[in-house]
Amino acid sequence: MLELTMATVSGADAGATAGMAMAEAPSEPGAVLRLGRDAAVCRLVTPDDWLFVSRVHLEFVCGPDGAWQLTWLRGSQPEPSSEVRLLLGEYAQPVGYGATVRLPHGGSGEIVVQDRTAPRSVNVGFYHEA
C-alpha cells in the first residue's frame, strides 16, 4: 500500500495544512497515482492557477515487484518552472525533470514541488507499507 498526503502551501500559509488531500493505492503491479492540476486524471489535484505544476506533474507507479517509483513527468515546456525534491529523513535528493526515482520499500518521506518564482510549494508525504 502507498499512502499519500498532499498539502498546498503558499508564503502566507507557511506551516499551515490548509488544502490537504489524501490518496492511497494497493502495492499491486501497474497501480498508478498521479498529482497535477487535471482532476480528470489526477487523484491529488493542485489549484488550477498554480501553473508551476503541470496538468499531470508527478506519477507514482507500482512495479512488478510491488515497489513504488516516482516520475516527474516532462510537461509542455522545455524548462520546468518548479523544482522537485525527495526528502528521506535528513537526506534530500533532487529529482530531475523527466527522471524516475524508486521510493524506499517500507519507508516514509516527503516529495516537495517548489515554485521557482514564488514562495509556494506542494508537499506530499508518503508512506510505502512493507
Side-chain angles (χ1 to χ4, degrees):
M1 175 80 65
L2 179 68
E3 298 173 356
L4 303 174
T5 305
M6 179 190 80
T8 54
V9 181
S10 64
D13 298 329
T17 55
M20 289 195 72
M22 296 179 68
E24 64 182 39
S27 293
E28 297 173 354
V32 177
L33 291 170
R34 293 183 186 95
L35 174 144
R37 293 187 338 255
D38 188 345
V41 293
C42 298
R43 292 270 303 275
L44 295 173
V45 181
T46 61
D48 283 340
D49 61 344
W50 283 31
L51 300 179
F52 70 98
V53 177
S54 301
R55 288 182 345 92
V56 182
H57 200 86
L58 300 177
E59 184 173 70
F60 299 83
V61 177
C62 186
D65 60 352
W68 286 85
Q69 63 184 25
L70 161 72
T71 301
W72 180 6
L73 300 172
R74 293 188 70 87
S76 59
Q77 302 299 316
E79 291 296 320
S81 55
S82 63
E83 297 173 355
V84 176
R85 294 185 313 278
L86 173 63
L87 308 173
L88 302 169
E90 294 184 21
Y91 174 74
Q93 171 186 348
V95 177
Y97 190 40
T100 298
V101 295
R102 193 173 169 104
L103 298 178
H105 202 132
S108 62
E110 184 174 25
I111 296 108
V112 178
V113 180
Q114 181 70 50
D115 187 347
R116 288 184 169 173
T117 63
R120 300 183 294 186
S121 67
V122 177
N123 299 29
V124 180
F126 69 87
Y127 175 67
H128 184 195
E129 199 171 83

